[in-house]
Amino acid sequence: MVAGLDEKLEPIYRDVLRRNPGETEFHQAVHEVLETLGPVLVKYPEFAEHKIIQRICEPERQIIFRVPWQDDQGHTHINRAFRVEFNSALGPYKGGMRFHPSVYLGIIKFLGFEQIFKNALTGLPIGGGKGGSDFDPKGRSDAEIMRFCQSLMTEMYRHIGEYTDVPAGDIGVGQREIGYLFGQYKRITNRYESGVLTGKGLNWGGSRARTEATGYGAVFFLDEMLKVRGDSLEGKTGVVSGSGNVAIYAIEKIHSLGGKVIACSDSDGVIVDKNGLDLDLIKQIKEVERRRISVYADERKDSTYLPDGNIWTVPCQIALPCATQNELNGKDATILVQQGCIAVAEGANMPTTPEGIHVFQEAGIAYGPGKAANAGGVATSALEMQQNASRDSWTFEHTEARLQQIMVNIHRNCYETSAEFGQPGNYVKGANVTGFLKVAHAMVALGLI
Ligand code: NDP
Ligand code: 2IT
């Protein structure tokens, strides 16, 4: 017996374990979704008949390839890259590329699987996919990053396209990498196909507010959860893990809505600044100089740097994990709740372990899972695709307003679904079921493919 699963779903999950050995993050992501689908299968028996769940757990296509490149000293390196094209029932495969040494097939599959439901929640026409490489960009020169991106695209170009599969950024991949990838795609195909990648620069087809979108969106979602409870961000103290793209713009939006973020981190340590983080300084260190967050403490003498510190032990009312998967466990969740945390919104993908989620749910605090809370990034990517398709370019205000409306809708849909299935405010259930239903109905309509 697998804990938490209905009798009909258990054999399906066992099959996923058997067919995907060793891919623990993928198993975790599938289990979390299947756990919430029991009542859905009762209400819609046709999904079992069409084997929708078995089909949704099997990627439509998985591409694994070699990426050879030379460093600045002329030494040759071989990396492995992936593109998992998971589900295209709602639109072209869509999802980011992650460059991090921890990347292997199980990580890309968990991310691709989550992306299916997240993208469905946006209400925009995008399917789910994800890619990446075990390449470690830390300490690499611009020239090395460029050669790596060019080599990767020399294989990937044949699998992607504006109507097929549209990659974007994720950990270790931002506007610089998207530029090198786009340049090589354009060169090989001899096509200025803007819609093939998102997260582009503003003067070569990018969308305003895409850089800010994931972090801003997570805070809009958090704000909606607080509104349901008659509360707001005004005067709240927060902590945000990570100090990359998502973390930086989550901090920015919390500050603009009247909250104060007092801690952030990177994989080496934690910065605590009781006065509230100086975001201009963080942007300078991280976006311009690409240095470690410890540098912050050299510049702001009132702040403290905790090497190897645990950010979740810093007392706060709101917490946003914005770094990576499984960065917040059951113990961390218990500490957060005991120290007065009332709301958690996930900027990262699957940052809270199942034990951590359980602690938040038992405590009854507001908990917004990544699939819903961080969907603003990919939603704005879909808005970038819209602008590219019509050769248009919207203002920041217009794009941000669209983003905010999308996050308000996602929140409302998840809340209503959670209530419909008897657990109002359980956003895990709300997000999984809402996303699943959209994809499942489309799969039935499209026939056995
Ligand atoms: P960045 O590369 O810009 O930043 C990542 C941050 O997380 C860095 O501070 C990094 O620290 C830290 N981090 C990454 N891996 C680890 C690890 N294994 N252990 C500890 N810290 C780690 O990435 P993003 O901000 O784009 O992505 C952050 C999260 O948000 C990811 O989970 C991603 O999947 C998710 N996400 C991103 C979206 C986007 O639009 N970019 C959209 C939706 C979700 P260090 O520099 O030390 O590695
Ligand atoms: O996890 C994610 O949603 C992303 N990394 C963004 C994907 C995208 O296509 O913009």
Side-chain angles (χ1 to χ4, degrees):
M1 182 71 193
V2 180
L5 292 188
D6 282 18
E7 172 191 338
K8 277 209 171 110
L9 290 161
E10 195 182 321
I12 301 178
Y13 182 65
R14 283 194 188 286
D15 226 31
V16 168
L17 296 181
R18 185 182 58 76
R19 291 163 67 84
N20 305 280
E23 298 176 0
T24 50
E25 294 83 0
F26 180 51
H27 303 162
Q28 182 184 336
V30 171
H31 189 273
E32 191 220 274
V33 171
L34 296 197
E35 218 177 12
T36 57
L37 293 184
V40 177
L41 288 191
V42 175
K43 189 166 176 193
Y44 301 97
E46 66 268 31
F47 293 157
E49 183 196 325
H50 291 283
K51 294 224 170 15
I52 294 296
I53 299 190
Q54 291 91 327
R55 280 158 64 195
I56 234 171
C57 291
E58 183 69 20
E60 290 176 16
R61 191 177 297 107
Q62 309 184 54
I63 300 142
I64 305 181
F65 53 102
R66 180 175 71 190
V67 185
W69 59 282
Q70 268 189 339
D71 66 23
D72 289 344
Q73 286 70 45
H75 298 132
T76 295
H77 298 259
I78 308 296
N79 283 98
R80 183 177 289 177
F82 307 85
R83 190 72 193 164
V84 174
E85 299 180 333
F86 226 116
N87 192 295
S88 59
L90 297 179
Y93 310 106
K94 182 83 196 86
M97 294 290 290
R98 175 178 292 191
F99 293 172
H100 194 272
S102 63
V103 163
Y104 76 107
L105 187 57
I107 298 258
I108 301 303
K109 274 163 71 175
F110 114 66
L111 290 163
F113 184 74
E114 298 248 304
Q115 201 84 43
I116 304 170
F117 307 100
K118 183 198 302 190
N119 293 5
L121 284 173
T122 66
L124 298 164
I126 40 179
K130 198 84 188 190
S133 172
D134 58 5
F135 171 70
D136 186 357
K138 276 203 192 85
R140 290 294 170 194
S141 69
D142 271 4
E144 289 173 324
I145 299 284
M146 181 180 76
R147 286 196 295 275
F148 177 79
C149 288
Q150 290 178 338
S151 180
L152 186 146
M153 186 54 91
T154 301
E155 170 62 32
M156 192 167 72
Y157 87 94
R158 67 187 88 245
H159 306 292
I160 64 176
E162 69 174 308
Y163 296 108
T164 313
D165 182 359
V166 182
D170 193 83
I171 291 176
V173 178
Q175 206 176 100
R176 173 181 61 171
E177 291 72 21
I178 295 296
Y180 296 144
L181 291 166
F182 184 68
Q184 183 75 347
Y185 182 86
K186 184 174 80 61
R187 185 184 192 192
I188 295 174
T189 61
N190 194 30
R191 285 162 59 85
Y192 205 108
E193 187 185 328
S194 300
V196 69
L197 289 165
T198 61
K200 300 181 293 295
L202 293 187
N203 57 350
W204 42 279
S207 172
R208 292 190 180 80
R210 175 62 189 91
T211 303
E212 293 82 357
T214 312
Y216 278 20
V219 177
F220 289 142
F221 192 91
L222 173 63
D223 199 32
E224 292 302 306
M225 292 197 298
L226 290 171
K227 274 188 204 155
V228 168
R229 293 163 178 249
D231 207 341
S232 79
L233 277 165
E234 186 65 43
K236 296 285 185 302
T237 298
V239 305
V240 175
S241 68
S243 49
N245 171 261
V246 179
I248 286 175
Y249 292 95
I251 296 169
E252 185 162 286
K253 189 50 84 178
I254 293 170
H255 285 176
S256 81
L257 293 178
K260 180 168 82 169
V261 179
I262 58 164
C264 71
S265 61
D266 62 18
S267 58
D268 293 334
V270 175
I271 283 288
V272 182
D273 187 342
K274 292 268 186 301
N275 303 322
L277 291 170
D278 177 344
L279 195 59
D280 288 338
L281 178 57
I282 295 178
K283 285 183 181 175
Q284 178 64 27
I285 295 168
K286 285 291 170 184
E287 295 185 331
V288 181
E289 297 168 10
R290 297 179 187 273
R291 294 166 77 195
R292 310 305 297 159
I293 200 64
S294 58
V295 172
Y296 186 98
D298 304 335
E299 302 285 330
R300 289 288 170 277
K301 296 299 177 197
D302 278 357
S303 69
T304 317
Y305 178 62
L306 310 166
D308 291 325
N310 179 352
I311 191 166
W312 312 122
T313 62
V314 178
C316 63
Q317 294 154 301
I318 55 170
L320 289 90
C322 295
T324 193
Q325 64 277 351
N326 293 326
E327 57 165 313
L328 197 169
N329 63 26
K331 265 192 194 154
D332 301 326
T334 304
I335 296 170
L336 279 168
V337 170
Q338 278 171 353
Q339 302 203 112
C341 180
I342 56 161
V344 174
E346 295 183 340
N349 286 305
M350 206 170 75
T352 309
T353 64
E355 296 75 29
I357 295 174
H358 184 72
V359 170
F360 292 146
Q361 291 182 329
E362 285 292 300
I365 71 165
Y367 167 65
K371 267 185 218 92
N374 74 38
V378 74
T380 308
S381 278
L383 302 182
E384 182 171 330
M385 291 162 71
Q386 273 186 38
Q387 292 169 77
N388 293 153
S390 57
R391 300 185 191 281
D392 199 356
S393 173
W394 306 343
T395 63
F396 190 94
E397 291 68 28
H398 176 70
T399 318
E400 190 188 5
R402 292 278 309 257
L403 164 66
Q404 182 164 14
Q405 192 55 54
I406 289 167
M407 297 313 297
V408 168
N409 292 346
I410 293 175
H411 173 272
R412 196 194 51 235
N413 293 339
C414 291
Y415 189 88
E416 286 176 1
T417 305
S418 70
E420 185 191 334
F421 284 85
Q423 288 174 285
N426 179 338
Y427 295 99
V428 175
K429 185 146 213 163
N432 289 345
V433 173
T434 309
F436 174 80
L437 282 176
K438 265 203 106 164
V439 182
H441 286 307
M443 287 174 73
V444 171
L446 297 184
L448 186 55
I449 51 172

